[in-house]
Amino acid sequence: MTSGTHPIRTYTTLIGLALATAANIGVSQDFDSFGRSEVLPEPEGDWVFVDYSLVDVADDRFLGLIGVAQTRRPAAIEYSPDGTSLFLVETFYTRGNRGERTDTVTIFDTHTLGVAGEVVIPAKRALLLVVEGTLALTDNGRFLGVFNLTPATSISVVDIEKREFVGEISTPGCSLVFPAGELSYMMICANGDLLTVTLDENGGEVSKERIERFFDPEADPIREPGVRYGDDWLFVSFDGMLHTVDVSDGMPRVGESWSLLNASDREQNWRITGRQPLAVHQQSGRLYVLARQNDEPLDDPADWDGTEIWSFDLATRERVQRLEARPASANAGGAGATLGSTSGDGASNILVTQGDEPLLVTAGDTGISVRHPLTGEYVHERLENAPASGWLTLRMP
Amino acid sequence: MDSRNWFDRRFETGARYMARLTSRRSFLTRLGTLLVGTASIPLLPLSRAAAQAADAGFKDPDIEGDAGDPMSCNYWRYCSIDGFMSPCCGGSASSCPPGTEMSAVTWIGTCRNPADGNDYLISYNDCCGKSPCGQCFCNNNEDDMPAYVTARSNNINWCLAHSTTAYNSTVALVLGRADG
């Protein structure tokens, strides 16, 4: 074989080029402009963040990625009231994983998913793998609370209107932060109390008040991932009790707790499980939960996928529907059997979109499923254009 | 590999075995309440130096099989561990791999030593300052508590009090008799 160019081949190439050029002469060709990036249109109701990836779950379309520096942490996202910004907390070191630490509330543009600003906060933010309770925007949409753990517990308050750090509020013995009224946060205390932190109009501390014994952490602790239903926060306990807190008037009121498991369920050892076990469709008052059977109580229900999705009418407290949870992995093992996975035999995260025609979204280690919640009919048994799994956050319209 | 998940699992579980028996639960509840209740002062659950000193005085008795093997996930001290076992990463059950620092704060479990049938307090200190070791992941979760019970939860990155919060691996120090 010669290394030189064969004369006949060169000749043929030249003819080809000439023909191609001739063909273009009579055709209008639009040339691409350089440097263009997409900007997202106004959001649709079925856009969901899977950690940092924005996905249209109705159309199975990957829309973009939030430009965070560290994608390896699950995302706790809050939105500005006008929907143009979203907020995340980030931690940086000047030399990658060492050097001086800086924590920021980073502001992202919801249409470009790029950075639109930042507020430096004390380098104390809690590094948890729990998502719910790490970041909370007061219901008036003004003050962002960041949960700190050093291991002293506190909240850093950020004014998102002025884009400045306001101050730090010490919250001894109480952790996680949830919105709880126009200018209030709610926290869960290690002894089962609830702490209400109330701010003034400038974000300064006005009061801290405790409600004693919301639950008994020794007998049956509640799990961290609460969901909001109107003015209520709903939390599920390890033993399947649903606890309710009404935060409508700035001072939480504890409602009656009730069991998601009936006598028969308990006899059959059903448990409420999953990393993100609860979702609520606001309009219909339907609660969706992940459940599985396990002979023994689970030490950490988050490690275990739900094999079924149960739907409850929150008004009547009746279970109205049972669906098989998908997707299931062929190589399902016990929790901890494989690094980086849950039990793999169902769904670990659940979310329902809002509006008249909601979609039920579940994520497991092997993919994300989308279905009509009322019929259980699949829209997508497994999304092709989405991450395999992750924390699910609705993109607020 | 999605390191979010290992991290999640790493910190979502652990400190569980301690509460298996009522007496343990009572003891550790008091401990946890004390620690959390005073958390406005940066009181460390157990200082690194104290933990090391405690471990230096404890000799593992001869235990047959995996329960006596620090390289095994079934090693008796690992009943509440959730992370990469230090001996697989260049350290030992009571020392961190080269160039990492032992966390100053930690979560506490109680494990039963099969050699003498006694329960011991085990301090699961993280080794901090380098990226995850990736070897010998061990996820023995007993009686983990949610993150709001901070001293008994490994939903928390226990490298939190360090100059860097990078997590590498975990040791299991014997602090003393849980029932003594």
Side-chain angles (χ1 to χ4, degrees):
Chain A
M1 185 68 95
T2 173
S3 61
T5 306
H6 196 286
I8 293 178
R9 190 176 295 164
T10 305
Y11 179 67
T12 308
T13 305
L14 286 171
I15 290 175
L17 280 172
L19 289 173
T21 305
N24 278 337
I25 288 171
V27 179
S28 170
Q29 172 67 54
D30 291 331
F31 295 100
D32 292 333
S33 60
F34 175 77
R36 193 170 65 92
S37 297
E38 296 292 338
V39 174
L40 292 167
E42 288 307 304
E44 297 173 12
D46 42 25
W47 289 8
V48 172
F49 282 106
V50 183
D51 282 336
Y52 302 100
S53 303
L54 184 58
V55 177
D56 183 331
V57 296
D59 294 346
D60 191 1
R61 199 155 56 94
F62 192 106
L63 298 167
L65 187 66
I66 306 174
V68 292
Q70 303 126 342
T71 57
R72 290 180 169 183
R73 299 195 61 79
I77 298 172
E78 288 283 3
Y79 300 94
S80 63
D82 65 4
T84 61
S85 303
L86 64 85
F87 309 100
L88 293 162
V89 182
E90 295 187 280
T91 295
F92 302 95
Y93 291 93
T94 50
R95 297 287 183 272
N97 66 356
R98 61 180 184 272
E100 188 183 344
R101 174 176 166 176
T102 305
D103 287 3
T104 65
V105 167
T106 312
I107 303 156
F108 292 88
D109 182 305
T110 50
H111 292 91
T112 67
L113 305 181
V115 176
E118 70 174 30
V119 177
V120 175
I121 56 174
K124 296 179 173 181
R125 59 82 67 105
L127 292 161
L128 309 178
L129 263 297
V130 175
V131 176
E132 291 293 332
T134 54
L135 186 62
L137 185 66
T138 51
D139 286 346
N140 72 351
R142 176 77 183 270
F143 298 107
L144 199 61
V146 179
F147 172 53
N148 296 325
L149 179 66
T150 66
T153 51
S154 63
I155 302 173
S156 289
V157 178
V158 169
D159 183 334
I160 64 163
E161 199 172 290
K162 295 181 178 173
R163 295 193 175 186
E164 64 184 27
F165 170 66
V166 177
E168 184 181 347
I169 299 171
S170 175
T171 60
C174 302
S175 296
L176 307 177
V177 57
F178 299 88
E182 290 294 296
L183 284 166
S184 299
Y185 303 115
M186 181 177 74
M187 302 184 78
I188 303 172
C189 307
N191 66 353
D193 290 356
L194 285 179
L195 178 72
T196 303
V197 178
T198 302
L199 309 179
D200 62 27
E201 290 184 353
N202 299 313
E205 176 186 336
V206 170
S207 64
K208 284 185 289 202
E209 293 186 58
R210 277 184 183 244
I211 294 174
E212 291 185 4
R213 253 354 206 192
F214 172 45
F215 64 99
D216 182 345
E218 293 307 316
D220 185 23
I222 61 170
R223 296 192 51 206
E224 302 96 335
V227 289
R228 188 84 179 255
Y229 171 48
D231 286 327
D232 288 349
W233 276 102
L234 311 180
F235 295 91
V236 66
S237 74
F238 278 46
D239 194 36
M241 297 297 291
L242 194 75
H243 294 261
T244 307
V245 189
D246 178 349
V247 296
S248 58
D249 66 357
M251 179 49 64
R253 287 194 305 270
V254 174
E256 186 186 17
S257 58
W258 53 282
S259 179
L260 296 173
L261 305 167
N262 61 32
S264 170
D265 299 330
R266 290 186 183 281
E267 200 170 300
Q268 296 171 46
N269 296 319
W270 282 95
R271 323 276 176 194
I272 307 302
T273 61
R275 296 199 188 291
Q276 190 173 4
L278 307 177
V280 178
H281 183 243
Q282 305 286 333
Q283 195 173 311
S284 63
R286 287 283 186 92
L287 171 72
Y288 296 87
V289 307
L290 294 172
R292 72 176 292 126
Q293 286 176 291
N294 202 73
D295 288 347
E296 297 297 323
L298 294 164
D299 283 319
D300 193 341
D303 277 352
W304 297 88
D305 289 352
T307 57
E308 288 194 6
I309 300 162
W310 294 354
S311 171
F312 292 84
D313 183 327
L314 284 168
T316 64
R317 300 179 181 177
E318 293 292 321
R319 183 170 57 205
V320 292
Q321 191 180 22
R322 289 173 76 155
L323 297 169
E324 184 191 3
R326 291 280 185 87
S329 163
N331 56 354
T338 308
L339 176 61
S341 67
T342 56
S343 58
D345 51 2
S348 57
N349 298 66
I350 189 168
L351 176 137
V352 63
T353 63
Q354 304 300 319
D356 292 337
E357 296 179 3
L359 295 174
L360 186 63
V361 185
T362 51
D365 276 352
T366 54
I368 294 172
S369 292
V370 182
R371 66 174 88 181
H372 295 294
L374 294 180
T375 63
E377 178 192 353
Y378 281 103
V379 180
H380 302 287
E381 188 159 339
R382 190 160 300 177
L383 291 180
E384 299 290 332
N385 300 303
S389 67
W391 192 269
L392 304 173
T393 308
L394 191 63
R395 164 69 173 96
M396 297 305 286
Chain B
M1 184 160 294
D2 179 355
S3 83
R4 177 191 69 81
N5 283 332
W6 77 258
F7 192 74
D8 197 359
R9 301 173 64 75
R10 163 66 185 70
F11 291 112
E12 271 200 359
T13 51
R16 299 176 162 204
Y17 198 76
M18 61 184 178
R20 179 163 276 181
L21 299 178
T22 304
S23 58
R24 294 177 187 169
R25 185 180 287 272
S26 301
F27 170 82
L28 286 151
T29 300
R30 289 196 298 274
L31 176 66
T33 304
L34 171 70
L35 297 171
V36 173
T38 54
S40 58
I41 309 163
L43 176 68
L44 307 180
L46 287 159
S47 78
R48 184 193 321 161
Q52 286 173 327
D55 187 60
F58 185 84
K59 298 291 179 217
D60 265 357
D62 287 335
I63 303 170
E64 292 291 323
D66 286 351
D69 178 7
M71 303 280 278
S72 164
C73 189
N74 293 322
Y75 182 47
W76 74 275
R77 296 186 185 195
Y78 294 157
C79 70
S80 299
I81 201 172
D82 186 357
F84 299 110
M85 305 186 297
S86 178
C88 298
C89 304
S92 73
S94 58
S95 65
C96 281
T100 60
E101 293 177 15
M102 200 176 289
S103 62
V105 288
T106 184
W107 80 102
I108 309 296
T110 300
C111 298
R112 178 157 293 172
N113 186 330
D116 59 14
N118 292 322
D119 295 332
Y120 290 86
L121 284 175
I122 308 292
S123 170
Y124 295 100
N125 296 67
D126 288 341
C127 300
C128 309
K130 292 188 178 182
S131 54
C133 155
Q135 303 295 312
C136 299
F137 182 69
C138 183
N139 191 18
N140 290 338
N141 302 311
E142 297 285 348
D143 294 312
D144 183 26
M145 288 294 277
Y148 53 81
V149 189
T150 50
R152 293 166 59 189
S153 173
N154 54 11
N155 285 326
I156 295 162
N157 180 346
W158 284 108
C159 291
L160 55 82
H162 274 258
S163 56
T164 166
T165 51
Y167 165 79
N168 173 262
S169 53
T170 303
V171 297
L173 309 180
V174 179
L175 300 182
R177 286 274 293 273
D179 47 0

